[in-house]
Every structure is written in structure tokens, then in C-alpha cells.
Amino acid sequence: RYGERFMRANAPRYFAIFTRARAVVVLLALLTAGLLFAWARELFGERAASIATSLFLLQPSVLAHGHLATLDMASTASIFASAWLLRWACKRESVGRLVLAGVAWGLALLVKFTAVLLVPAYLLLLALRERRPGRALAGFALLFAVAIATVNLGMGFRGSGASLSDYRFASHFGKATQAWLPAWTPVPLPADYVRGFDAQKVDVEQGEFPSYCLGRWTRGGVWYCEPLAFLLKTPLPVLALLCWLPVALWRRPLPRRELAFLLLPLLVLGLLLTAMNALNVGIRYLLPLYPFVFVAL
């Protein structure tokens, strides 16, 4: 209803507004491709990076969603940029670099709640960098604190610090959090961000609309819908390269840390966006996986 009211209120200049919004998304797709090229060139050389970037830009799902005025490509760009910066920070121990990675993660959190799913991946990546658990936890605490501060700055700290008892959650996750933590626990996030996350979590847990998969309608979705969409909407040569990937990595192994920075975000996001998500709305939710896939290829 809001979208239709906006369209009718701006009817004389609606297509001009739409064009500008789409142009921003095109720039974000190109930014993602540039980061992909830089990452792949460092690992495999310029020729391999050129091929990987070309495959990414010619991927039908990237072509489809790389010019639509939605948040999906922005989420893809910001998540990939945060991982790229965290890798850069871990290559040389530096508080400043870690702060920049935290800012990038905070921007990804402002763009879309999908970036919340990176928590276990980033914690494990920092644990792999540090031999001492205490230093790994301290590094993650700094990264997470900077990301939370960035979210607060982006939303003007409105309602931040309210106690947990001030919220009435609808999601199972929110209710379990309230049951587990003391009622006086301060929530270091803007109130609208917390409420929005809770509303989105309800959709993830229960589904928002009936979804269709393989001739069957379901209210809560099925876990294999997104993986199936990935298989059906990925060109056969790319699927063949994915099948060859384990052999290629065995013949030319990457350093353990480099492999972890590619595979951990990919596996964590892939698992949580498919098997633990009842919101089956199509391939666009899996777009953040694509840059990691094509660097690995």
C-alpha cells in the first residue's frame, strides 16, 4: 500500500525516480565485481580474476537483480565488502583495520538483516587468526562493538539502550531471548531496528506468503526451495565448475586461512538462508553467496 501511494503521489516523475534508484544498484553490482576481481587476482592472478569476474557479471541472477531497485544487491555488496575488509585486517594485526572492517559490517547490518548471520563466521575467522582464545574474543568484541556503533549512528541512537522488558516480541527468537536474559538487560540497538528484526524473524520462522515449489504450495516453505532455485538458475558450465572445485583445490591448495575466508561465510550464509529459513521468496535471498562462489571458482 505504501509503494502504491508513493507511485501515485509521484506519477509525473516516477520513472525518473526509478531510473536513479536502479542506477545506484548497477553501481553496487559493479562495486561487488571490482572487489571480486581484486580478491581473485591476489589469490590466482589476473587472468583467473578476469574469468571469475566475467562469470559473475554474466550470471543470470546477477544480471536480473543487478539493476532492480531492491536491497538485494546492496546487501550482497556490503556483506562481501565487510568480508574483504576483515580478511585485509587479519593479514596484518591492526586495530585500525579491524575498526574499518567493523564499520563495513555495521553498514551491511543497516542495509539488510541478512548480515546478522555473519556472527558465527566472523567469530570463527578471528579464532583461526589467533592461537589464543582470549585475543580472538577481544578482536571479535571490537569488531562487533564497532558494527553496533555504526548501526546506532546510522539510525541516530533512537531508543537505543532500552531494557529488554520494554519490548513485546512476536518471534520465537525474541521470546526465548527475553526468557533467557534478565528483564533489565539493556539492548544496545535502536528500538526500530530491534522491532524490525523481530518482525523479519517472524517471517523467517513461519513464512510470510504461501510458497510454491515442485507443484506444491506450502505456508511455511520447504528447506530445499532455495538450493533448488540455485541449481535451476545457475548455468550448467558454472555448475560443472562447482563440481570440479574440490579437485582443483586439492591439486592447488590454498592456505588454510584464505580458504576459510571464502568457505566459512559461504557455508554459514548458505545454511542459515536455506535450511533454517521458512521464507521462500526465490533466488534473490541467495545473492550474497555468489561473490564467494565465483572467487573460489
Side-chain angles (χ1 to χ4, degrees):
R1 287 195 296 267
Y2 177 85
E4 186 175 349
R5 285 172 58 193
F6 179 84
M7 179 178 67
R8 295 186 183 282
N10 294 277
R13 58 195 185 102
Y14 186 67
F15 284 102
I17 294 171
F18 225 106
T19 300
R20 292 169 189 164
R22 287 188 168 199
V24 172
V25 178
V26 171
L27 291 174
L28 289 168
L30 294 174
L31 170 64
T32 308
L35 291 175
L36 191 159
F37 178 83
W39 195 333
R41 180 176 60 180
E42 190 174 341
L43 293 179
F44 307 111
E46 192 164 301
R47 180 180 297 179
S50 300
I51 294 171
T53 308
S54 299
L55 288 172
F56 171 77
L57 288 172
L58 294 173
Q59 167 66 26
S61 296
V62 173
L63 287 171
H65 294 280
H67 71 286
L68 297 181
T70 65
L71 292 174
D72 301 295
M73 187 52 68
S75 178
T76 300
S78 57
I79 285 175
F80 193 60
S82 72
W84 187 83
L85 282 169
L86 182 60
R87 172 181 173 268
W88 176 67
C90 288
K91 289 179 70 174
R92 191 178 72 188
E93 192 169 333
S94 166
V95 173
R97 289 187 174 197
L98 204 57
V99 167
L100 284 176
V103 170
W105 190 15
L107 292 174
L109 289 166
L110 281 168
V111 170
K112 203 170 183 181
F113 294 124
T114 304
V116 173
L117 305 179
L118 292 168
V119 168
Y122 286 178
L123 180 58
L124 287 171
L125 287 171
L126 286 170
L128 287 175
R129 187 192 73 163
E130 300 287 352
R131 295 182 180 180
R132 289 176 289 179
R135 288 181 63 87
L137 287 173
F140 180 78
L142 174 62
L143 181 76
F144 188 71
V146 172
I148 295 299
T150 304
V151 172
N152 276 285
L153 283 169
M155 300 186 71
F157 290 87
R158 290 188 294 271
S160 186
S163 64
L164 200 58
S165 60
D166 292 337
Y167 294 97
R168 182 172 294 178
F169 293 122
S171 66
H172 296 307
F173 176 83
K175 292 176 180 177
T177 303
Q178 279 184 320
W180 185 57
L181 293 174
W184 52 263
T185 303
V187 181
L189 287 164
D192 286 338
Y193 193 89
V194 176
R195 295 190 188 101
F197 179 82
D198 182 61
Q200 184 68 38
K201 198 71 176 71
V202 171
D203 293 338
V204 169
E205 292 171 353
Q206 304 173 12
E208 184 179 8
F209 307 107
S211 58
Y212 177 86
C213 186
L214 296 179
R216 187 163 65 96
W217 286 94
T218 56
R219 180 68 180 88
V222 290
W223 69 268
Y224 53 82
C225 183
E226 272 85 5
L228 184 63
F230 180 86
L231 290 173
L232 293 175
K233 296 193 175 189
T234 301
L236 292 177
V238 176
L239 291 178
L241 286 172
L242 280 172
C243 293
W244 177 254
L245 180 60
V247 178
L249 290 174
W250 177 75
R251 293 178 62 179
R252 187 183 176 184
L254 285 173
R256 185 181 66 170
R257 184 181 296 174
E258 295 290 357
L259 191 61
F261 269 98
L262 287 176
L263 296 187
L264 273 177
L266 178 62
L267 293 175
V268 169
L269 288 172
L271 176 65
L272 296 179
L273 288 172
T274 56
M276 302 181 70
N277 181 18
L279 189 61
N280 296 154
V281 294
I283 194 69
R284 65 187 182 90
Y285 266 51
L286 299 185
L287 280 179
L289 305 181
Y290 280 95
F292 297 100
V293 168
F294 284 99
V295 172
L297 287 180

